[in-house]
Amino acid sequence: MSEMMQAAVITGPGEAAVELVPRPEPQAGEVLVALEGCGVCASNLPLWQGRSWFNYPALPGAPGHEGWGRVRALGEGVQGVRIGDRVTFLSYNAYAQYDLVRDDALVKIPASLDGQPFPGEPVGCAMNVFRRSAIEPGQTVALIGAGFLGAIFTALATARGAHVIAISRRGFALELARRCGAEETVVLDEHQRVMDRVRQLAGERGCDRVVEATGHQWPLDLAGELVREGGKIVIAGYHQDGLRQVNVQLWNWKGIDVINAHERDPRVYLEGMRAGIAAVESRMFPLKELITHSFGLDELGRAYQALEGRPDGFLKGMIRIEH
């Protein structure tokens, strides 16, 4: 095994290169993983686009945090995993041929999923958003933003017996939401029209749950209008481009619960990843179908451009990593 490896490096805003860097060595409690791939996440767009608080170049492999691969070497004292095991994990430098992972920050991928890309972190995120939403059979759920997370959420909520109304500006995403079980779809185009259509479908009382999965101001405003009195707004979008304003008067009058559904406890994240593996094994949602675009390690820039522009047919991109 070479002492060097290839890693993508964000060298400046909107710029990336592949560099040859030293391959890390696992220390006590660490595992060296040979990456097969890593998902591309919208939460990392600020680093790609540039902000005044970031320093460049970024660390080799950063900010890749949706990786999976096979264990190549073990540090002292590692238990529960063997060389050759296929794993998905929590890390931050997975746009590279190898990454170091703590032995308590990974989940083994069963042989039944061999050959299938498995970005465990976003799958686990979707599973935890669903859990935090506390969906019950018979409820009407409005999902604003039918992307990767939204598609998984739709499949899970439908399996629970909820009636899902998927709302998105993209026809491709709405079509996929229907295949994942959404009973109705609404184009996210004009505020009053969307409100009127959802009220036709859900009734004047409104929706039991509204999941905001876009990360933008207008859908957050819309969520407050669509949720019923005593319902729940579930914030699953990443709001990272500035402060938000919300209609607290309306939220307060309706007596709603507002749930920020992103987990930060690694143990909870891992629980979600395990639940995601079980769900994929049970064919609760078509993970392969949700990963629509693949890029080489030297195409990280193209991957982020696709994530920004979201061309027709784009849902989730991944970086494939060769050795």
Side-chain angles (χ1 to χ4, degrees), residues 92-110:
Y92 197 71
N93 299 286
Y95 293 143
Q97 289 180 312
Y98 297 91
D99 197 4
L100 283 182
V101 184
R102 288 200 53 82
D103 62 358
D104 58 358
L106 55 79
V107 175
K108 289 194 284 188
I109 303 173

Side-chain angles (χ1 to χ4, degrees), residues 122-143:
V123 171
C125 180
M127 300 301 295
N128 285 326
V129 167
F130 176 73
R131 177 182 56 80
R132 292 281 297 276
S133 301
I135 302 297
E136 298 177 7
Q139 288 182 331
T140 298
V141 180
L143 169 71

Side-chain angles (χ1 to χ4, degrees), residues 221-237:
D221 297 336
L222 188 62
E225 299 284 358
L226 299 182
V227 69
R228 68 166 173 81
E229 294 178 23
K232 298 181 188 295
I233 292 177
V234 181
I235 301 175

